[in-house]
Amino acid sequence: MAHRRELCSVFAAIGILGGEVATPGPVNAQNIVALDADDIGGVVTGPNGPEAGVWVIAETSDLPTRFARMVVTDDQGRYVVPDLPKATYRVWVRGYGLVDSPKMTGEPGRLLDLQAVPAPSDKEAAQYYPAIYWYSMLKIPEATQFGGTSDIPETITQIDWLKQVKNIGCIGCHQLGQHSTRTIPKQLGEFSSSEEAWIRRVSSGQSGESMVNQLAGRFGGAPIRYYADWTDRIARGELPHAKPKRPEGVERNIVVTTWEWLNEKKYLHDLISSDRRHPTVNAYGPLFGSAEYSTDIIPILDPKTHTVTEFVAPVRDPDTPEALGPGHAASDKVLAPSPYWGEEKIWDTKANNHNGMFDRQGRVWFAAAVRGPNNPDFCNKGSEHPSAKLFPLERTNRSITRLDPQTMQYTFADTCFGTHHLQFGYDANDTLWTSGGGPVVGWINTRLFDETGDAAKAQGWTALILDTNGNGQRDEYVEPDQPLDPTKDKRIAGGFYAVSPSPVDGSIWGSVGVFSGTPAVVRLDPGPNPPQTALVEIYHVPRPGFGIRGADIDRQGVVWASLSSGHLAGFDRRRCKGPLNGPQATGDHCPEGWSFHQYPGPGFQGIGENSAESSYYTWVDQHNTFGLGEDVPMSTANLMDGLVALKDGRMISLRVPYPLGFYAKGFDGRIDDPNAGWKGRGLWTTSGDRTPWLREGGKGSRPIAVHFQLRPDPLAK
């Protein structure tokens, strides 16, 4: 069989495999492409010869869900789309400087040469640029406009403004700059000005209340004028001030595969594929999505069979209210009709499943609601619970749940603390650490929970206490709004947004100050009895960095984070020169621990060197699940349609070229087979934009799951 397969490869390469060969190209030593029986390959040429560094997209609807695989041509214009399921495919070329080529019909095992189509104009070429090239056209107010000299509220600084338009405001839930956001939809109606149109736009749907509050509240509506100017200039024909380069180097070796899942009215926040500590867990297994505010459905994708099934996450208490409305980031009502869904209320969740994590047994743990917001008695003041005695908690919106894929049993773990992101520690108890607890960091001893089923006994939480008296132990403390006392410690406000247990020393790191306060990373040392002994250290983000969102840690203990300043930042505590506790160790004591690496893409004009990239989250590939090596930090590149990795000082773009508008909020990696080379490794992510209908394809588009793989060369099979 192996010999026969090899012969088929050669026959396909020279175009004499039985049956008709679609649009055969000339055969010579420079363009022969060897194929297996499950590959489509050929040569892409344009008017001036081979087209290097362009994408070839093969898509089919013949499988149980829509499927597409994408590759990049080599320097001779050759391509191989490998390992395709048996189906009939629509195959076309997309690339910078081009418009999409006609869609040809292809089947695995057949040679298919393609003709690239040059863009007739810069305007038509720019329609295929990543969103960042359009979004960087947004004007940023000059420094003189701040401080009460304009319609911008006096308390707002230019840094505040940049954080809002970079990764905190609307752009924290949507990609801005793709076609649907850089234009005004006609369905909104007729308006006397673009500012009026933008006010109406941000009022739309179940996020309308949140969007209006952000722009019209603290910012006094001032950003509306700048967004209106942006879309007006684009409507008049203004084009991006920079052009993207085609993929280079290892970027040409990336294979991108997509599957549709869930439905056209819902969105996904995240997915999970494996245990980040043991990435062979769930090898070749199903992926589990988290739909946050949109639905109680957990979509499950089997990438082997290309099938999608659904599990509806229950809540424990039947009187649990919807996780929408006051206290949430989405409303239970439509503020103004959506140009896509009118007055229909399309989000309707109680479970509010935000984020999932596999454990080493192959079970999936979720940050999801169990009940209503009022905590049980064991959480409150007067309880004998060790954590409640020190810091009682009255309300929470999310707890923890667990799904066993083998039995589909769904288990509730009622927590007093709120949850947002989850990560397993490296200890013998498989402690599950959480963010989202506000003034506390919470955890569950999952070994104890497995043994007893007692969530109250298995959980704990702690306030964030700085050792400002410098004696190395936790003492009585002053509150965040009180001055330092040389005899006491100090509690800091603001909880973890990201959470990352260190594989080095058992400490727990988190990003803080995401939406308010000073952006920083915090190190929590649990000590022998965390509720009583946990102490933290805090390290503020220095210039040129500002703003922070998602963060992760490598196996050397270096923390990596997405910044509003357009940087991937690293913090290495080992580089600190001064004391790490005491009255001077309150955040600004280790600027030397930070490094900054600018994301790719153009920046906003008039504010110096910068990238306009809006990165939502950072994840570290500790185990070389992708193929660039161990401990490679990677971020969501939310305006570049994919991810970005930092390798040997160079930023490498992992772009989803189709459909335009891909926006991720999280990702992870899995090793399906450590002995299978590149085919046994890959990254998994899903579209996380709250409005899937804003991307290419428009209304009716469904979220997609994405697999990134790295071949040794562009023609590897």
Side-chain angles (χ1 to χ4, degrees), residues 63-266:
L63 303 175
T65 191
R66 187 187 296 267
F67 171 94
R69 184 159 287 160
M70 294 150 258
V71 299
V72 185
T73 58
D74 70 2
D75 58 2
Q76 297 177 46
R78 300 175 298 179
Y79 77 93
V80 171
V81 186
D83 300 339
L84 289 167
K86 186 176 181 180
T88 300
Y89 291 85
R90 299 172 296 280
V91 187
W92 72 98
V93 180
R94 172 171 289 186
Y96 303 138
L98 307 176
V99 295
D100 279 2
S101 68
K103 294 182 179 180
M104 308 295 290
T105 298
E107 295 182 359
R110 303 291 182 90
L111 189 70
L112 181 61
D113 289 351
L114 299 168
Q115 294 293 316
V117 180
S121 66
D122 286 346
K123 179 179 180 180
E124 289 173 274
Q127 306 310 309
Y128 298 91
Y129 292 178
I132 191 172
Y133 288 85
W134 293 93
Y135 193 58
S136 63
M137 297 168 62
L138 179 71
K139 291 181 179 179
I140 303 300
E142 297 179 359
T144 56
Q145 298 295 300
F146 296 91
T149 62
S150 69
D151 61 341
I152 300 171
E154 185 176 1
T155 58
I156 299 296
T157 67
Q158 192 177 51
I159 295 297
D160 294 330
W161 187 280
L162 285 167
K163 286 170 61 178
Q164 183 71 14
V165 302
K166 290 293 288 295
N167 65 2
I168 302 300
C170 300
I171 204 165
C173 291
H174 311 286
Q175 186 189 82
L176 296 185
Q178 88 281 59
H179 185 267
S180 59
T181 54
R182 65 178 183 257
T183 58
I184 302 294
K186 293 180 180 179
Q187 302 95 311
L188 280 178
E190 297 292 330
F191 303 95
S192 60
S193 70
S194 294
E195 289 184 47
E196 185 179 323
W198 266 93
I199 292 170
R200 172 63 181 83
R201 162 183 255 172
V202 299
S203 303
S204 302
Q206 286 174 254
S207 284
E209 185 176 6
S210 174
M211 291 189 289
V212 169
N213 286 343
Q214 286 203 44
L215 294 177
R218 184 181 174 214
F219 283 77
I224 293 292
R225 174 162 59 93
Y226 290 85
Y227 282 117
D229 168 76
W230 175 55
T231 50
D232 280 348
R233 287 185 286 114
I234 290 171
R236 291 195 297 266
E238 187 173 330
L239 297 177
H241 53 80
K243 296 180 179 180
K245 294 192 301 183
R246 290 181 176 181
E248 299 176 334
V250 297
E251 293 173 346
R252 294 186 180 179
N253 302 346
I254 296 170
V255 179
V256 181
T257 307
T258 66
W259 296 259
E260 284 190 342
W261 59 340
L262 203 55
N263 64 62
E264 71 279 2
K265 295 181 182 179
K266 312 298 184 183

Side-chain angles (χ1 to χ4, degrees), residues 521-533:
V521 293
V522 167
R523 177 183 185 268
L524 185 151
D525 181 352
N529 181 21
Q532 291 185 326
T533 60

Side-chain angles (χ1 to χ4, degrees), residues 391-429:
F391 205 98
L393 298 170
E394 296 181 354
R395 293 172 64 87
T396 186
N397 283 321
R398 280 195 192 99
S399 294
I400 291 174
T401 63
R402 185 184 68 205
L403 177 64
D404 186 339
Q406 298 301 315
T407 63
M408 299 308 289
Q409 180 180 354
Y410 194 71
T411 303
F412 302 109
D414 194 345
T415 63
C416 303
F417 49 86
T419 63
H420 191 229
H421 293 105
L422 310 175
Q423 287 284 4
F424 280 98
Y426 295 82
D427 58 304
N429 292 325

